[in-house]
Amino acid sequence: MIPLEDNYTDVIAKAQRGLNLTDSVLAAKAGVSVEELRRVKEGEVIEEVLERIAPVLGLGKRALLDLAKGMYYPKDQGVIPGLFHFNTRWEDMTVNSYLVWDKKTKEAAVFDTGGNCTEMLDTIKVHGLNIKYIFLTHTHADHIAELGRLKRATGAPAYCCELEMIPGTEPFHPGREFQLSDLSIRSFLTNGHSPGGVSYFITGAERKFVIVGDSLFAGSMGGGNYSYAEALKNNKEKILTLPEDTIVCPGHGPLTTVGEEKIHNPFFAFS
């Protein structure tokens, strides 16, 4: 079982940084002491403090409390036809990459490279897949570490958003659609974590998938390194408006669904 990418203290820290709130300002707005805030940020679950700081940080109270109490983990999606998920080591963390394929023609597309693509290449060989595309969600080092090796091994072109180009990739404008036999791959801009972050919505298989990179995680989201406001807006308006049974394939942590994140993600669940 892949652990959640973020715990509740990570969620608090990302929201606080995104809103540019100091501890003293956050504590004052929430009506708690700086000492109480410090204890919560260090991992002590003080429900009253969490309930007070949540609205100041734009977080859902119930979802934040559930995360703090260890009560949220997304449902296991089991075997998903046409989707392979790889979770590989990169320095002191793990990172996800994905392989999507049409079962009839065995045409396939790679999404990000992970920290080591050996298992992916073995899977491609075992299933006799023909890699037509390599897509990047964004260009942070952990997501492109094996790009050169994948390109050499598969002969496939690599595609990257024109706003975040790196050598060896072909630029495209978000909104472009790609065809993979009977599968349709629609790209859309979900920047905020990075300048040219892109998500890919895939239809035509037995299940619908959206591969989101670090835009959204189970129970959290990527830090708004480029723009916190844009990250929130894109997740809310572009990813969480997809059908609720859409499988969300994040850059770190376990798979989830749009429906689960609308209920359980503190950044977006306010019921």
Side-chain angles (χ1 to χ4, degrees):
M1 189 171 74
I2 299 172
L4 294 173
E5 172 64 8
D6 290 339
N7 60 34
Y8 79 100
T9 61
D10 297 317
V11 168
I12 290 169
K14 286 180 176 181
Q16 188 176 352
R17 285 196 303 271
L19 296 172
N20 197 27
L21 295 175
T22 63
D23 283 357
S24 58
V25 170
L26 174 56
K29 286 179 175 288
V32 301
S33 70
V34 173
E35 173 61 19
E36 288 174 319
L37 177 61
R38 180 191 64 77
R39 287 163 57 194
V40 163
K41 291 178 66 176
E42 290 180 354
E44 186 175 343
V45 180
I46 308 174
E47 290 192 30
E48 183 179 356
V49 175
L50 289 169
E51 288 176 349
R52 286 178 174 271
I53 67 173
V56 179
L57 293 171
L59 301 173
K61 291 181 185 180
R62 182 181 301 175
L64 184 63
L65 281 170
D66 285 349
L67 194 62
K69 295 176 181 179
M71 295 173 62
Y72 173 59
Y73 189 87
K75 296 175 184 175
D76 183 2
Q77 297 299 317
V79 176
I80 304 168
L83 176 70
F84 290 112
H85 170 205
F86 306 94
N87 182 251
T88 53
R89 176 65 55 182
W90 169 258
E91 296 182 348
D92 61 347
M93 61 182 177
T94 63
V95 58
N96 295 328
S97 56
Y98 300 94
L99 188 60
V100 172
W101 57 295
D102 184 284
K103 294 194 297 180
K104 294 178 182 177
T105 66
K106 295 196 173 184
E107 284 191 342
V110 169
F111 294 84
D112 289 345
T113 74
N116 185 324
C117 68
T118 297
E119 185 182 0
M120 180 184 286
L121 291 174
D122 289 345
T123 300
I124 291 168
K125 183 177 180 180
V126 166
H127 290 272
L129 303 182
N130 173 27
I131 305 302
K132 187 173 180 181
Y133 307 107
I134 299 169
F135 293 111
L136 301 180
T137 60
H138 62 303
T139 58
H140 290 172
D142 50 326
H143 295 265
I144 64 169
E146 293 274 79
L147 181 58
R149 183 182 175 195
L150 269 175
K151 287 184 65 180
R152 290 190 298 272
T154 65
Y159 290 84
C160 183
C161 174
E162 62 189 4
L163 300 174
E164 202 170 321
M165 284 299 302
I166 57 171
T169 60
E170 299 186 20
F172 71 89
H173 184 74
R176 179 174 171 181
E177 294 193 16
F178 299 82
Q179 201 67 28
L180 186 71
S181 296
D182 289 338
L183 306 183
S184 295
I185 303 171
R186 178 168 63 87
S187 64
F188 49 95
L189 185 66
T190 48
N191 63 341
H193 178 68
S194 66
V198 171
S199 294
Y200 301 89
F201 182 48
I202 301 157
T203 56
E206 292 181 34
R207 301 284 303 273
K208 295 179 285 291
F209 329 121
V210 61
I211 296 173
V212 300
D214 289 356
S215 295
L216 185 70
F217 302 139
S220 186
M221 58 182 267
N225 306 342
Y226 175 70
S227 170
Y228 182 67
E230 285 296 309
L232 286 172
K233 184 173 185 289
N234 284 321
N235 284 333
K236 183 177 180 180
E237 296 181 0
K238 298 180 181 179
I239 296 175
L240 296 181
T241 53
L242 295 172
E244 293 199 354
D245 63 346
T246 301
I247 297 172
V248 177
C249 304
H252 302 275
L255 303 183
T256 183
T257 63
V258 167
E260 284 200 88
E261 294 314 300
K262 288 168 70 174
I263 296 171
H264 298 292
N265 193 310
F267 288 99
F268 309 103
F270 298 99
S271 59

